């Protein structure tokens, strides 16, 4: 059986989170405009890198970007917003980190919220800031990594 640690790239984000193969990375350019990347591995060069992804990236020329200097820099504007290989499994009573920017003042990007209820398609969370309760879809949060 494959262990999650075997997917660890050896790099940490500027906020101290482990960076794994398959991580979805977002770079907010202005307000709601962002670029998305996925962490992949190059067998020939024996290194991890980021490639653009999403509907707008399919017509772009193929480029890969190194993790070093992009994700681990103190000036990094890249944020981990999920993983395409490792599922996010929240548990009631645990904290999750908000990974979207449109959930209001009580749920700003990067803030934490407590999981109150888990349903088939949504998760109900309570803001750490003011106690406000909100329903999030899967993909709008990430389980904090240690």
């Amino acid at each position: 059986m494959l262990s999650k640690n075997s997917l660890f790239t050896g790099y940490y984000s500027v906020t101290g989170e482990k960076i794994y193969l398959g991580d979805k990375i977002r770079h907010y350019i202005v307000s709601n405009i962002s670029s998305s990347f996925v962490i992949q591995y190059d067998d020939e060069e024996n290194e991890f890198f980021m490639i653009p992804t999403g509907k707008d990236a399919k017509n772009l020329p193929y480029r890969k970007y190194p993790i070093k200097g992009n994700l681990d820099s103190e000036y990094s504007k890249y944020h981990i917003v999920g993983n395409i290989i490792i599922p996010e499994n929240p548990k009631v009573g645990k904290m999750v980190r908000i990974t979207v920017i449109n959930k209001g003042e009580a749920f700003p990007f990067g803030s934490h919220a407590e999981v109150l209820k888990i349903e088939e398609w949504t998760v109900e969370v309570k803001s750490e800031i003011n106690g406000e309760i909100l329903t999030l879809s899967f993909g709008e949060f990430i389980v904090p990594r240690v």
Side-chain angles (χ1 to χ4, degrees), residues 13-49:
S13 72
V14 68
T15 56
E17 295 176 307
K18 288 182 175 181
I19 299 170
Y20 292 95
L21 180 70
D23 271 351
K24 290 170 43 178
I25 310 296
R26 179 153 292 151
H27 172 240
Y28 286 100
I29 300 165
V30 179
S31 185
N32 290 351
I33 300 172
S34 65
S35 296
S36 296
F37 300 85
V38 173
I39 301 297
Q40 294 199 349
Y41 184 76
D42 186 337
D43 276 332
E44 291 178 11
E45 296 186 28
N46 197 26
E47 68 177 359
F48 292 95
F49 60 93

PDB file of all heavy atoms in Angstrom, residues 13-49:
ATOM      1  N   SER A  13       5.721  24.749   2.157  1.00  0.00           N
ATOM      2  CA  SER A  13       5.271  26.066   1.717  1.00  0.00           C
ATOM      3  C   SER A  13       5.790  27.117   2.699  1.00  0.00           C
ATOM      4  O   SER A  13       6.301  26.781   3.770  1.00  0.00           O
ATOM      5  CB  SER A  13       3.746  26.116   1.662  1.00  0.00           C
ATOM      6  OG  SER A  13       3.206  26.128   2.965  1.00  0.00           O
ATOM      7  N   VAL A  14       5.619  28.367   2.355  1.00  0.00           N
ATOM      8  CA  VAL A  14       6.069  29.453   3.215  1.00  0.00           C
ATOM      9  C   VAL A  14       5.316  29.431   4.555  1.00  0.00           C
ATOM     10  O   VAL A  14       5.828  29.893   5.565  1.00  0.00           O
ATOM     11  CB  VAL A  14       5.930  30.817   2.492  1.00  0.00           C
ATOM     12  CG1 VAL A  14       4.479  31.185   2.282  1.00  0.00           C
ATOM     13  CG2 VAL A  14       6.680  31.905   3.215  1.00  0.00           C
ATOM     14  N   THR A  15       4.114  28.844   4.584  1.00  0.00           N
ATOM     15  CA  THR A  15       3.349  28.744   5.829  1.00  0.00           C
ATOM     16  C   THR A  15       3.651  27.458   6.590  1.00  0.00           C
ATOM     17  O   THR A  15       3.017  27.165   7.596  1.00  0.00           O
ATOM     18  CB  THR A  15       1.831  28.835   5.553  1.00  0.00           C
ATOM     19  OG1 THR A  15       1.475  27.816   4.621  1.00  0.00           O
ATOM     20  CG2 THR A  15       1.448  30.196   5.012  1.00  0.00           C
ATOM     21  N   GLY A  16       4.615  26.659   6.100  1.00  0.00           N
ATOM     22  CA  GLY A  16       5.053  25.469   6.813  1.00  0.00           C
ATOM     23  C   GLY A  16       4.321  24.186   6.469  1.00  0.00           C
ATOM     24  O   GLY A  16       4.548  23.159   7.095  1.00  0.00           O
ATOM     25  N   GLU A  17       3.444  24.216   5.466  1.00  0.00           N
ATOM     26  CA  GLU A  17       2.714  23.015   5.074  1.00  0.00           C
ATOM     27  C   GLU A  17       3.550  22.151   4.144  1.00  0.00           C
ATOM     28  O   GLU A  17       4.282  22.677   3.297  1.00  0.00           O
ATOM     29  CB  GLU A  17       1.416  23.385   4.356  1.00  0.00           C
ATOM     30  CG  GLU A  17       0.437  24.118   5.240  1.00  0.00           C
ATOM     31  CD  GLU A  17      -0.786  24.556   4.481  1.00  0.00           C
ATOM     32  OE1 GLU A  17      -0.641  25.222   3.441  1.00  0.00           O
ATOM     33  OE2 GLU A  17      -1.881  24.230   4.930  1.00  0.00           O
ATOM     34  N   LYS A  18       3.438  20.838   4.292  1.00  0.00           N
ATOM     35  CA  LYS A  18       4.138  19.926   3.392  1.00  0.00           C
ATOM     36  C   LYS A  18       3.550  20.041   1.985  1.00  0.00           C
ATOM     37  O   LYS A  18       2.336  20.177   1.837  1.00  0.00           O
ATOM     38  CB  LYS A  18       3.996  18.488   3.872  1.00  0.00           C
ATOM     39  CG  LYS A  18       4.780  18.162   5.113  1.00  0.00           C
ATOM     40  CD  LYS A  18       4.601  16.697   5.480  1.00  0.00           C
ATOM     41  CE  LYS A  18       5.479  16.316   6.645  1.00  0.00           C
ATOM     42  NZ  LYS A  18       5.328  14.898   6.992  1.00  0.00           N
ATOM     43  N   ILE A  19       4.408  19.967   0.979  1.00  0.00           N
ATOM     44  CA  ILE A  19       3.961  20.000  -0.412  1.00  0.00           C
ATOM     45  C   ILE A  19       4.057  18.590  -0.966  1.00  0.00           C
ATOM     46  O   ILE A  19       5.120  17.977  -0.924  1.00  0.00           O
ATOM     47  CB  ILE A  19       4.815  20.981  -1.241  1.00  0.00           C
ATOM     48  CG1 ILE A  19       4.680  22.398  -0.665  1.00  0.00           C
ATOM     49  CG2 ILE A  19       4.397  20.936  -2.710  1.00  0.00           C
ATOM     50  CD1 ILE A  19       5.646  23.398  -1.253  1.00  0.00           C
ATOM     51  N   TYR A  20       2.923  18.071  -1.464  1.00  0.00           N
ATOM     52  CA  TYR A  20       2.830  16.696  -1.956  1.00  0.00           C
ATOM     53  C   TYR A  20       2.648  16.659  -3.470  1.00  0.00           C
ATOM     54  O   TYR A  20       2.142  17.612  -4.066  1.00  0.00           O
ATOM     55  CB  TYR A  20       1.642  15.975  -1.323  1.00  0.00           C
ATOM     56  CG  TYR A  20       1.780  15.714   0.148  1.00  0.00           C
ATOM     57  CD1 TYR A  20       1.241  16.577   1.088  1.00  0.00           C
ATOM     58  CD2 TYR A  20       2.455  14.592   0.614  1.00  0.00           C
ATOM     59  CE1 TYR A  20       1.364  16.331   2.448  1.00  0.00           C
ATOM     60  CE2 TYR A  20       2.594  14.332   1.969  1.00  0.00           C
ATOM     61  CZ  TYR A  20       2.039  15.209   2.872  1.00  0.00           C
ATOM     62  OH  TYR A  20       2.173  14.958   4.218  1.00  0.00           O
ATOM     63  N   LEU A  21       3.042  15.538  -4.073  1.00  0.00           N
ATOM     64  CA  LEU A  21       2.739  15.267  -5.468  1.00  0.00           C
ATOM     65  C   LEU A  21       1.224  15.349  -5.636  1.00  0.00           C
ATOM     66  O   LEU A  21       0.476  14.846  -4.801  1.00  0.00           O
ATOM     67  CB  LEU A  21       3.222  13.860  -5.832  1.00  0.00           C
ATOM     68  CG  LEU A  21       2.987  13.400  -7.255  1.00  0.00           C
ATOM     69  CD1 LEU A  21       3.882  14.184  -8.210  1.00  0.00           C
ATOM     70  CD2 LEU A  21       3.276  11.914  -7.385  1.00  0.00           C
ATOM     71  N   GLY A  22       0.758  16.030  -6.679  1.00  0.00           N
ATOM     72  CA  GLY A  22      -0.671  16.160  -6.917  1.00  0.00           C
ATOM     73  C   GLY A  22      -1.313  17.361  -6.260  1.00  0.00           C
ATOM     74  O   GLY A  22      -2.515  17.590  -6.433  1.00  0.00           O
ATOM     75  N   ASP A  23      -0.530  18.154  -5.527  1.00  0.00           N
ATOM     76  CA  ASP A  23      -1.108  19.349  -4.911  1.00  0.00           C
ATOM     77  C   ASP A  23      -1.589  20.318  -5.971  1.00  0.00           C
ATOM     78  O   ASP A  23      -0.926  20.533  -6.989  1.00  0.00           O
ATOM     79  CB  ASP A  23      -0.089  20.061  -4.017  1.00  0.00           C
ATOM     80  CG  ASP A  23      -0.094  19.548  -2.601  1.00  0.00           C
ATOM     81  OD1 ASP A  23      -0.988  18.760  -2.248  1.00  0.00           O
ATOM     82  OD2 ASP A  23       0.807  19.945  -1.835  1.00  0.00           O
ATOM     83  N   LYS A  24      -2.755  20.908  -5.706  1.00  0.00           N
ATOM     84  CA  LYS A  24      -3.286  21.977  -6.543  1.00  0.00           C
ATOM     85  C   LYS A  24      -2.835  23.294  -5.924  1.00  0.00           C
ATOM     86  O   LYS A  24      -3.041  23.528  -4.737  1.00  0.00           O
ATOM     87  CB  LYS A  24      -4.808  21.904  -6.601  1.00  0.00           C
ATOM     88  CG  LYS A  24      -5.309  20.724  -7.387  1.00  0.00           C
ATOM     89  CD  LYS A  24      -6.790  20.489  -7.258  1.00  0.00           C
ATOM     90  CE  LYS A  24      -7.648  21.689  -7.323  1.00  0.00           C
ATOM     91  NZ  LYS A  24      -9.087  21.381  -7.245  1.00  0.00           N
ATOM     92  N   ILE A  25      -2.219  24.132  -6.730  1.00  0.00           N
ATOM     93  CA  ILE A  25      -1.665  25.407  -6.268  1.00  0.00           C
ATOM     94  C   ILE A  25      -2.404  26.535  -6.970  1.00  0.00           C
ATOM     95  O   ILE A  25      -2.696  26.442  -8.159  1.00  0.00           O
ATOM     96  CB  ILE A  25      -0.162  25.505  -6.633  1.00  0.00           C
ATOM     97  CG1 ILE A  25       0.602  24.261  -6.191  1.00  0.00           C
ATOM     98  CG2 ILE A  25       0.463  26.775  -6.094  1.00  0.00           C
ATOM     99  CD1 ILE A  25       0.653  24.026  -4.712  1.00  0.00           C
ATOM    100  N   ARG A  26      -2.703  27.601  -6.248  1.00  0.00           N
ATOM    101  CA  ARG A  26      -3.356  28.754  -6.861  1.00  0.00           C
ATOM    102  C   ARG A  26      -2.538  29.998  -6.573  1.00  0.00           C
ATOM    103  O   ARG A  26      -1.977  30.166  -5.493  1.00  0.00           O
ATOM    104  CB  ARG A  26      -4.767  28.903  -6.317  1.00  0.00           C
ATOM    105  CG  ARG A  26      -5.461  30.117  -6.916  1.00  0.00           C
ATOM    106  CD  ARG A  26      -6.943  29.992  -6.961  1.00  0.00           C
ATOM    107  NE  ARG A  26      -7.301  28.956  -7.921  1.00  0.00           N
ATOM    108  CZ  ARG A  26      -8.382  28.213  -7.835  1.00  0.00           C
ATOM    109  NH1 ARG A  26      -9.198  28.361  -6.847  1.00  0.00           N
ATOM    110  NH2 ARG A  26      -8.646  27.319  -8.745  1.00  0.00           N
ATOM    111  N   HIS A  27      -2.476  30.864  -7.574  1.00  0.00           N
ATOM    112  CA  HIS A  27      -1.800  32.153  -7.454  1.00  0.00           C
ATOM    113  C   HIS A  27      -2.823  33.216  -7.804  1.00  0.00           C
ATOM    114  O   HIS A  27      -3.288  33.278  -8.939  1.00  0.00           O
ATOM    115  CB  HIS A  27      -0.608  32.206  -8.412  1.00  0.00           C
ATOM    116  CG  HIS A  27       0.044  33.541  -8.498  1.00  0.00           C
ATOM    117  ND1 HIS A  27       0.133  34.246  -9.657  1.00  0.00           N
ATOM    118  CD2 HIS A  27       0.638  34.301  -7.551  1.00  0.00           C
ATOM    119  CE1 HIS A  27       0.764  35.387  -9.439  1.00  0.00           C
ATOM    120  NE2 HIS A  27       1.068  35.436  -8.166  1.00  0.00           N
ATOM    121  N   TYR A  28      -3.233  34.013  -6.800  1.00  0.00           N
ATOM    122  CA  TYR A  28      -4.197  35.079  -7.061  1.00  0.00           C
ATOM    123  C   TYR A  28      -3.451  36.274  -7.632  1.00  0.00           C
ATOM    124  O   TYR A  28      -2.545  36.805  -7.021  1.00  0.00           O
ATOM    125  CB  TYR A  28      -4.952  35.462  -5.788  1.00  0.00           C
ATOM    126  CG  TYR A  28      -5.965  34.412  -5.407  1.00  0.00           C
ATOM    127  CD1 TYR A  28      -5.686  33.481  -4.424  1.00  0.00           C
ATOM    128  CD2 TYR A  28      -7.183  34.337  -6.065  1.00  0.00           C
ATOM    129  CE1 TYR A  28      -6.601  32.496  -4.093  1.00  0.00           C
ATOM    130  CE2 TYR A  28      -8.103  33.354  -5.743  1.00  0.00           C
ATOM    131  CZ  TYR A  28      -7.810  32.444  -4.762  1.00  0.00           C
ATOM    132  OH  TYR A  28      -8.711  31.468  -4.444  1.00  0.00           O
ATOM    133  N   ILE A  29      -3.861  36.683  -8.830  1.00  0.00           N
ATOM    134  CA  ILE A  29      -3.229  37.809  -9.507  1.00  0.00           C
ATOM    135  C   ILE A  29      -3.876  39.104  -9.029  1.00  0.00           C
ATOM    136  O   ILE A  29      -3.215  39.994  -8.525  1.00  0.00           O
ATOM    137  CB  ILE A  29      -3.345  37.643 -11.040  1.00  0.00           C
ATOM    138  CG1 ILE A  29      -2.641  36.340 -11.447  1.00  0.00           C
ATOM    139  CG2 ILE A  29      -2.761  38.840 -11.770  1.00  0.00           C
ATOM    140  CD1 ILE A  29      -2.954  35.852 -12.823  1.00  0.00           C
ATOM    141  N   VAL A  30      -5.187  39.205  -9.211  1.00  0.00           N
ATOM    142  CA  VAL A  30      -5.963  40.343  -8.742  1.00  0.00           C
ATOM    143  C   VAL A  30      -7.339  39.832  -8.351  1.00  0.00           C
ATOM    144  O   VAL A  30      -7.982  39.139  -9.145  1.00  0.00           O
ATOM    145  CB  VAL A  30      -6.136  41.403  -9.858  1.00  0.00           C
ATOM    146  CG1 VAL A  30      -6.959  42.582  -9.374  1.00  0.00           C
ATOM    147  CG2 VAL A  30      -4.814  41.867 -10.399  1.00  0.00           C
ATOM    148  N   SER A  31      -7.796  40.125  -7.157  1.00  0.00           N
ATOM    149  CA  SER A  31      -9.132  39.775  -6.689  1.00  0.00           C
ATOM    150  C   SER A  31      -9.520  38.355  -7.076  1.00  0.00           C
ATOM    151  O   SER A  31      -9.004  37.409  -6.536  1.00  0.00           O
ATOM    152  CB  SER A  31     -10.128  40.798  -7.219  1.00  0.00           C
ATOM    153  OG  SER A  31     -11.409  40.560  -6.689  1.00  0.00           O
ATOM    154  N   ASN A  32     -10.445  38.186  -8.032  1.00  0.00           N
ATOM    155  CA  ASN A  32     -10.934  36.864  -8.421  1.00  0.00           C
ATOM    156  C   ASN A  32     -10.147  36.233  -9.568  1.00  0.00           C
ATOM    157  O   ASN A  32     -10.457  35.132  -9.988  1.00  0.00           O
ATOM    158  CB  ASN A  32     -12.402  36.931  -8.819  1.00  0.00           C
ATOM    159  CG  ASN A  32     -13.286  37.196  -7.627  1.00  0.00           C
ATOM    160  OD1 ASN A  32     -12.834  37.166  -6.498  1.00  0.00           O
ATOM    161  ND2 ASN A  32     -14.544  37.453  -7.876  1.00  0.00           N
ATOM    162  N   ILE A  33      -9.152  36.905 -10.106  1.00  0.00           N
ATOM    163  CA  ILE A  33      -8.361  36.374 -11.215  1.00  0.00           C
ATOM    164  C   ILE A  33      -7.177  35.591 -10.652  1.00  0.00           C
ATOM    165  O   ILE A  33      -6.394  36.111  -9.862  1.00  0.00           O
ATOM    166  CB  ILE A  33      -7.859  37.509 -12.137  1.00  0.00           C
ATOM    167  CG1 ILE A  33      -9.054  38.278 -12.705  1.00  0.00           C
ATOM    168  CG2 ILE A  33      -6.995  36.942 -13.255  1.00  0.00           C
ATOM    169  CD1 ILE A  33      -8.672  39.529 -13.456  1.00  0.00           C
ATOM    170  N   SER A  34      -7.074  34.330 -11.057  1.00  0.00           N
ATOM    171  CA  SER A  34      -6.011  33.495 -10.515  1.00  0.00           C
ATOM    172  C   SER A  34      -5.485  32.534 -11.565  1.00  0.00           C
ATOM    173  O   SER A  34      -6.117  32.306 -12.590  1.00  0.00           O
ATOM    174  CB  SER A  34      -6.524  32.706  -9.312  1.00  0.00           C
ATOM    175  OG  SER A  34      -7.528  31.794  -9.719  1.00  0.00           O
ATOM    176  N   SER A  35      -4.319  31.974 -11.286  1.00  0.00           N
ATOM    177  CA  SER A  35      -3.729  30.917 -12.104  1.00  0.00           C
ATOM    178  C   SER A  35      -3.650  29.672 -11.239  1.00  0.00           C
ATOM    179  O   SER A  35      -3.406  29.757 -10.041  1.00  0.00           O
ATOM    180  CB  SER A  35      -2.309  31.293 -12.538  1.00  0.00           C
ATOM    181  OG  SER A  35      -2.341  32.429 -13.357  1.00  0.00           O
ATOM    182  N   SER A  36      -3.843  28.509 -11.863  1.00  0.00           N
ATOM    183  CA  SER A  36      -3.783  27.244 -11.129  1.00  0.00           C
ATOM    184  C   SER A  36      -2.666  26.371 -11.661  1.00  0.00           C
ATOM    185  O   SER A  36      -2.389  26.368 -12.861  1.00  0.00           O
ATOM    186  CB  SER A  36      -5.106  26.493 -11.268  1.00  0.00           C
ATOM    187  OG  SER A  36      -6.136  27.221 -10.678  1.00  0.00           O
ATOM    188  N   PHE A  37      -2.052  25.610 -10.745  1.00  0.00           N
ATOM    189  CA  PHE A  37      -0.951  24.717 -11.084  1.00  0.00           C
ATOM    190  C   PHE A  37      -1.140  23.397 -10.355  1.00  0.00           C
ATOM    191  O   PHE A  37      -1.855  23.327  -9.364  1.00  0.00           O
ATOM    192  CB  PHE A  37       0.390  25.330 -10.664  1.00  0.00           C
ATOM    193  CG  PHE A  37       0.687  26.649 -11.318  1.00  0.00           C
ATOM    194  CD1 PHE A  37       0.200  27.829 -10.787  1.00  0.00           C
ATOM    195  CD2 PHE A  37       1.452  26.702 -12.468  1.00  0.00           C
ATOM    196  CE1 PHE A  37       0.470  29.045 -11.391  1.00  0.00           C
ATOM    197  CE2 PHE A  37       1.729  27.912 -13.079  1.00  0.00           C
ATOM    198  CZ  PHE A  37       1.232  29.082 -12.540  1.00  0.00           C
ATOM    199  N   VAL A  38      -0.483  22.353 -10.843  1.00  0.00           N
ATOM    200  CA  VAL A  38      -0.469  21.051 -10.178  1.00  0.00           C
ATOM    201  C   VAL A  38       0.981  20.620 -10.027  1.00  0.00           C
ATOM    202  O   VAL A  38       1.800  20.820 -10.940  1.00  0.00           O
ATOM    203  CB  VAL A  38      -1.254  19.992 -10.985  1.00  0.00           C
ATOM    204  CG1 VAL A  38      -1.093  18.611 -10.380  1.00  0.00           C
ATOM    205  CG2 VAL A  38      -2.722  20.350 -11.055  1.00  0.00           C
ATOM    206  N   ILE A  39       1.320  20.022  -8.883  1.00  0.00           N
ATOM    207  CA  ILE A  39       2.669  19.502  -8.644  1.00  0.00           C
ATOM    208  C   ILE A  39       2.805  18.151  -9.332  1.00  0.00           C
ATOM    209  O   ILE A  39       2.003  17.248  -9.097  1.00  0.00           O
ATOM    210  CB  ILE A  39       2.956  19.350  -7.140  1.00  0.00           C
ATOM    211  CG1 ILE A  39       2.810  20.685  -6.415  1.00  0.00           C
ATOM    212  CG2 ILE A  39       4.335  18.739  -6.910  1.00  0.00           C
ATOM    213  CD1 ILE A  39       3.770  21.751  -6.835  1.00  0.00           C
ATOM    214  N   GLN A  40       3.800  18.028 -10.201  1.00  0.00           N
ATOM    215  CA  GLN A  40       4.077  16.773 -10.893  1.00  0.00           C
ATOM    216  C   GLN A  40       5.552  16.426 -10.732  1.00  0.00           C
ATOM    217  O   GLN A  40       6.318  17.194 -10.169  1.00  0.00           O
ATOM    218  CB  GLN A  40       3.696  16.877 -12.367  1.00  0.00           C
ATOM    219  CG  GLN A  40       2.205  17.029 -12.551  1.00  0.00           C
ATOM    220  CD  GLN A  40       1.764  16.688 -13.953  1.00  0.00           C
ATOM    221  OE1 GLN A  40       2.561  16.528 -14.861  1.00  0.00           O
ATOM    222  NE2 GLN A  40       0.466  16.582 -14.138  1.00  0.00           N
ATOM    223  N   TYR A  41       5.934  15.273 -11.254  1.00  0.00           N
ATOM    224  CA  TYR A  41       7.305  14.789 -11.116  1.00  0.00           C
ATOM    225  C   TYR A  41       7.874  14.471 -12.491  1.00  0.00           C
ATOM    226  O   TYR A  41       7.196  13.887 -13.329  1.00  0.00           O
ATOM    227  CB  TYR A  41       7.331  13.524 -10.249  1.00  0.00           C
ATOM    228  CG  TYR A  41       8.723  13.018  -9.985  1.00  0.00           C
ATOM    229  CD1 TYR A  41       9.545  13.656  -9.064  1.00  0.00           C
ATOM    230  CD2 TYR A  41       9.229  11.922 -10.663  1.00  0.00           C
ATOM    231  CE1 TYR A  41      10.827  13.202  -8.817  1.00  0.00           C
ATOM    232  CE2 TYR A  41      10.509  11.456 -10.422  1.00  0.00           C
ATOM    233  CZ  TYR A  41      11.299  12.108  -9.495  1.00  0.00           C
ATOM    234  OH  TYR A  41      12.576  11.663  -9.266  1.00  0.00           O
ATOM    235  N   ASP A  42       9.121  14.876 -12.740  1.00  0.00           N
ATOM    236  CA  ASP A  42       9.810  14.612 -14.001  1.00  0.00           C
ATOM    237  C   ASP A  42      10.834  13.503 -13.776  1.00  0.00           C
ATOM    238  O   ASP A  42      11.814  13.686 -13.047  1.00  0.00           O
ATOM    239  CB  ASP A  42      10.508  15.884 -14.481  1.00  0.00           C
ATOM    240  CG  ASP A  42      11.125  15.741 -15.862  1.00  0.00           C
ATOM    241  OD1 ASP A  42      11.414  14.599 -16.284  1.00  0.00           O
ATOM    242  OD2 ASP A  42      11.320  16.776 -16.511  1.00  0.00           O
ATOM    243  N   ASP A  43      10.603  12.335 -14.398  1.00  0.00           N
ATOM    244  CA  ASP A  43      11.511  11.191 -14.256  1.00  0.00           C
ATOM    245  C   ASP A  43      12.901  11.476 -14.802  1.00  0.00           C
ATOM    246  O   ASP A  43      13.906  11.072 -14.222  1.00  0.00           O
ATOM    247  CB  ASP A  43      10.959   9.958 -14.988  1.00  0.00           C
ATOM    248  CG  ASP A  43       9.974   9.195 -14.145  1.00  0.00           C
ATOM    249  OD1 ASP A  43      10.086   9.244 -12.904  1.00  0.00           O
ATOM    250  OD2 ASP A  43       9.090   8.555 -14.726  1.00  0.00           O
ATOM    251  N   GLU A  44      12.974  12.158 -15.949  1.00  0.00           N
ATOM    252  CA  GLU A  44      14.268  12.411 -16.586  1.00  0.00           C
ATOM    253  C   GLU A  44      15.142  13.341 -15.754  1.00  0.00           C
ATOM    254  O   GLU A  44      16.334  13.126 -15.621  1.00  0.00           O
ATOM    255  CB  GLU A  44      14.065  12.986 -17.990  1.00  0.00           C
ATOM    256  CG  GLU A  44      13.489  11.972 -18.961  1.00  0.00           C
ATOM    257  CD  GLU A  44      13.259  12.575 -20.340  1.00  0.00           C
ATOM    258  OE1 GLU A  44      13.731  13.701 -20.607  1.00  0.00           O
ATOM    259  OE2 GLU A  44      12.608  11.901 -21.149  1.00  0.00           O
ATOM    260  N   GLU A  45      14.536  14.406 -15.229  1.00  0.00           N
ATOM    261  CA  GLU A  45      15.303  15.378 -14.457  1.00  0.00           C
ATOM    262  C   GLU A  45      15.298  15.076 -12.964  1.00  0.00           C
ATOM    263  O   GLU A  45      15.974  15.756 -12.191  1.00  0.00           O
ATOM    264  CB  GLU A  45      14.788  16.791 -14.721  1.00  0.00           C
ATOM    265  CG  GLU A  45      15.006  17.199 -16.174  1.00  0.00           C
ATOM    266  CD  GLU A  45      14.631  18.648 -16.418  1.00  0.00           C
ATOM    267  OE1 GLU A  45      14.714  19.463 -15.478  1.00  0.00           O
ATOM    268  OE2 GLU A  45      14.273  18.950 -17.565  1.00  0.00           O
ATOM    269  N   ASN A  46      14.511  14.073 -12.556  1.00  0.00           N
ATOM    270  CA  ASN A  46      14.455  13.635 -11.169  1.00  0.00           C
ATOM    271  C   ASN A  46      14.125  14.797 -10.222  1.00  0.00           C
ATOM    272  O   ASN A  46      14.814  15.024  -9.230  1.00  0.00           O
ATOM    273  CB  ASN A  46      15.779  12.963 -10.771  1.00  0.00           C
ATOM    274  CG  ASN A  46      15.626  12.148  -9.516  1.00  0.00           C
ATOM    275  OD1 ASN A  46      14.536  11.690  -9.199  1.00  0.00           O
ATOM    276  ND2 ASN A  46      16.717  11.971  -8.794  1.00  0.00           N
ATOM    277  N   GLU A  47      13.036  15.549 -10.569  1.00  0.00           N
ATOM    278  CA  GLU A  47      12.642  16.679  -9.734  1.00  0.00           C
ATOM    279  C   GLU A  47      11.133  16.915  -9.809  1.00  0.00           C
ATOM    280  O   GLU A  47      10.474  16.518 -10.763  1.00  0.00           O
ATOM    281  CB  GLU A  47      13.369  17.952 -10.146  1.00  0.00           C
ATOM    282  CG  GLU A  47      12.948  18.475 -11.502  1.00  0.00           C
ATOM    283  CD  GLU A  47      13.627  19.777 -11.885  1.00  0.00           C
ATOM    284  OE1 GLU A  47      14.426  20.301 -11.101  1.00  0.00           O
ATOM    285  OE2 GLU A  47      13.333  20.272 -12.971  1.00  0.00           O
ATOM    286  N   PHE A  48      10.617  17.569  -8.779  1.00  0.00           N
ATOM    287  CA  PHE A  48       9.217  17.978  -8.751  1.00  0.00           C
ATOM    288  C   PHE A  48       9.109  19.372  -9.344  1.00  0.00           C
ATOM    289  O   PHE A  48      10.023  20.186  -9.224  1.00  0.00           O
ATOM    290  CB  PHE A  48       8.700  17.995  -7.307  1.00  0.00           C
ATOM    291  CG  PHE A  48       8.609  16.629  -6.697  1.00  0.00           C
ATOM    292  CD1 PHE A  48       9.634  16.128  -5.917  1.00  0.00           C
ATOM    293  CD2 PHE A  48       7.487  15.843  -6.911  1.00  0.00           C
ATOM    294  CE1 PHE A  48       9.545  14.871  -5.347  1.00  0.00           C
ATOM    295  CE2 PHE A  48       7.380  14.578  -6.345  1.00  0.00           C
ATOM    296  CZ  PHE A  48       8.421  14.091  -5.565  1.00  0.00           C
ATOM    297  N   PHE A  49       7.962  19.663  -9.973  1.00  0.00           N
ATOM    298  CA  PHE A  49       7.755  20.966 -10.582  1.00  0.00           C
ATOM    299  C   PHE A  49       6.259  21.259 -10.644  1.00  0.00           C
ATOM    300  O   PHE A  49       5.426  20.402 -10.359  1.00  0.00           O
ATOM    301  CB  PHE A  49       8.373  21.020 -11.978  1.00  0.00           C
ATOM    302  CG  PHE A  49       7.799  20.004 -12.928  1.00  0.00           C
ATOM    303  CD1 PHE A  49       6.730  20.334 -13.757  1.00  0.00           C
ATOM    304  CD2 PHE A  49       8.311  18.723 -12.994  1.00  0.00           C
ATOM    305  CE1 PHE A  49       6.186  19.391 -14.615  1.00  0.00           C
ATOM    306  CE2 PHE A  49       7.775  17.781 -13.858  1.00  0.00           C
ATOM    307  CZ  PHE A  49       6.699  18.122 -14.671  1.00  0.00           C
TER     308      PHE A  49
END
